[in-house]
Amino acid sequence: MPESIAEATLLYPSGTPRIDELTAEERAVYATLKPDLLPQHVAIIMDGNGRWAGHRSLKRFLGHQQGAKSVQLVTETASRIGLPWLTLYAFSLENNLRRPRAEVNFLMRLLKSYLEGNVQRMMDNNVRIRYIGRIHELPSEVQDKMRWAAETTARNTGTVLTLALNYGGRSEIVDAFRGLAAEMQATHMSPDRIAEKDIHRHLYTAHMPDPDLLIRTSGEMRISNYLLWQIAYTEIFVTERLWPDFRGIHLLEAIADFQRRERRYGGLGEACGEVEEDPEQMKIAVR
Ligand code: FPP
């Protein structure tokens, strides 16, 4: 570890809030939340960097640069409220394949400089950084910096910030199937013994709970190949706000909205009351 990166002086367990470090505006929203119903895992599709720049007649890369600032500010608010898991869609497989090379190269340089510039702040906030995606396909100098940031923050016990990089939900499932198929071959496991937990074990996210809340910025109503398996029962919150304008207070507002939802996981809600079986009423009329 380079000497310039100081160890986190105070290690507190995941979930320990530092509310006094929130801004006054954030504290006002936090005061409306039910602390025992905070999500464990928030995932975010960070969208709108290009539009943010376009609205200001700026080049797209300046939108990404501003977006990187939002990443750090939102992560710090997450750590202050004791959110255990924050997973950000930073670079998709499709971004890698379909964006102009100059933009992809810029995003890679931005990621490197983001890590260089923010690992100390992660240490100060007890944040651990991890990654999901086909990381091995990224440029080797970017992988080196990523490894350095992960190793430097590995002993932090607060929020786990996971960056999805060169990530695609379908390719994650393909990779999980490859892993499972290899294991089945080695252990002579019969296909009819495959259960959901076996697929889960081979996902990039095997070590974390599924997201409770998925936020998408900039108003688009799509999932864009993000965490397809994991969001089966996730609450979705879409805001028109563009990612470079998204701050910690907006994370708290999304959590407030999440707490007003009733999660049913395919069951019946509390408002439904007692369901009585009345054979007369339950007759099926097929005409
Ligand atoms: C979408 O904006 C966002 C991305 C391509 C990825 C997110 C990247 C960042 C937030 C910046 C860097 C992140 C880190 C971790 C350093 P867009 O360009 O698709 O926006 P548009 O739809 O308005 O064009």
Side-chain angles (χ1 to χ4, degrees):
M1 189 196 304
E3 276 174 22
S4 57
I5 302 295
E7 294 250 6
T9 44
L10 181 65
L11 291 184
Y12 23 76
S14 167
T16 306
R18 301 176 344 259
I19 304 311
D20 52 313
E21 292 179 33
L22 294 175
T23 64
E25 292 77 18
E26 287 174 335
R27 267 203 300 276
V29 180
Y30 184 84
T32 70
L33 300 181
K34 302 177 197 88
D36 48 330
L37 286 181
L38 285 177
Q40 292 298 292
H41 184 176
V42 176
I44 307 184
I45 301 175
M46 307 183 288
D47 195 14
N49 296 349
R51 272 163 282 175
W52 183 92
H55 294 167
R56 291 162 177 77
S57 307
L58 299 170
K59 297 262 191 258
R60 290 179 57 79
F61 76 87
L62 286 168
H64 294 315
Q65 213 161 44
Q66 198 63 28
K69 288 189 187 151
S70 302
V71 168
Q72 190 54 30
L73 294 171
V74 169
T75 301
E76 289 177 12
T77 299
S79 88
R80 289 175 184 137
I81 64 166
L83 179 74
W85 305 93
L86 177 67
T87 303
L88 305 181
Y89 205 1
F91 185 61
S92 70
L93 268 175
E94 290 73 22
N95 292 155
N96 200 3
L97 295 172
R98 300 198 184 130
R99 299 236 168 167
R101 238 36 243 166
E103 182 165 341
V104 170
N105 292 341
F106 177 81
L107 283 167
M108 291 297 103
R109 288 203 306 277
L110 181 61
L111 173 61
K112 263 177 69 187
S113 81
Y114 168 77
L115 295 173
E116 273 162 12
N118 288 286
V119 161
Q120 181 60 62
R121 285 175 71 157
M122 289 177 204
M123 298 305 285
D124 295 342
N125 285 279
N126 196 20
V127 169
R128 176 176 185 184
I129 188 161
R130 299 182 74 163
Y131 317 98
I132 53 172
R134 291 189 174 162
I135 305 303
H136 58 279
E137 292 174 357
L138 295 175
S140 62
E141 69 278 10
V142 176
Q143 290 186 51
D144 290 345
K145 192 59 72 185
M146 287 166 59
R147 201 170 306 114
W148 164 76
E151 285 167 6
T152 305
T153 61
R155 279 180 290 158
N156 289 347
T157 55
T159 300
V160 178
L161 167 65
T162 303
L163 298 181
L165 291 161
N166 203 30
Y167 173 88
R170 288 183 173 178
S171 62
E172 176 181 26
I173 293 172
V174 168
D175 289 348
F177 273 53
R178 286 180 181 159
L180 181 56
E183 182 189 295
M184 287 171 67
Q185 207 168 31
T187 60
H188 305 289
M189 179 178 161
S190 149
D192 46 50
R193 287 193 46 220
I194 299 175
E196 287 187 11
K197 67 174 174 22
D198 297 305
I199 295 169
H200 175 261
R201 265 186 313 110
H202 286 276
L203 293 171
Y204 307 147
T205 55
H207 58 285
M208 54 172 110
D210 288 342
D212 303 293
L213 171 63
L214 171 67
I215 299 171
R216 179 166 190 144
T217 58
S218 88
E220 311 284 358
M221 296 287 184
R222 21 172 206 272
I223 298 300
S224 300
N225 201 14
Y226 193 40
L227 300 173
L228 295 181
W229 176 278
Q230 297 86 341
I231 60 167
Y233 289 104
T234 299
E235 296 295 327
I236 300 177
F237 178 88
V238 177
T239 169
E240 291 293 325
R241 192 176 299 280
L242 305 176
W243 176 251
D245 289 328
F246 197 89
R247 293 287 174 269
I249 192 165
H250 307 120
L251 170 69
L252 297 174
E253 286 168 357
I255 293 175
D257 185 273
F258 163 82
Q259 291 194 335
R260 291 192 285 272
R261 314 262 183 105
E262 184 190 15
R263 301 184 79 187
R264 293 204 291 266
Y265 301 96
L268 296 177
E270 280 179 9
C272 193
E274 199 64 25
V275 181
E276 280 178 30
E277 268 190 42
D278 175 349
E280 265 316 298
Q281 280 186 9
M282 291 180 85
K283 271 188 188 153
I284 295 171
V286 182
R287 283 170 224 270

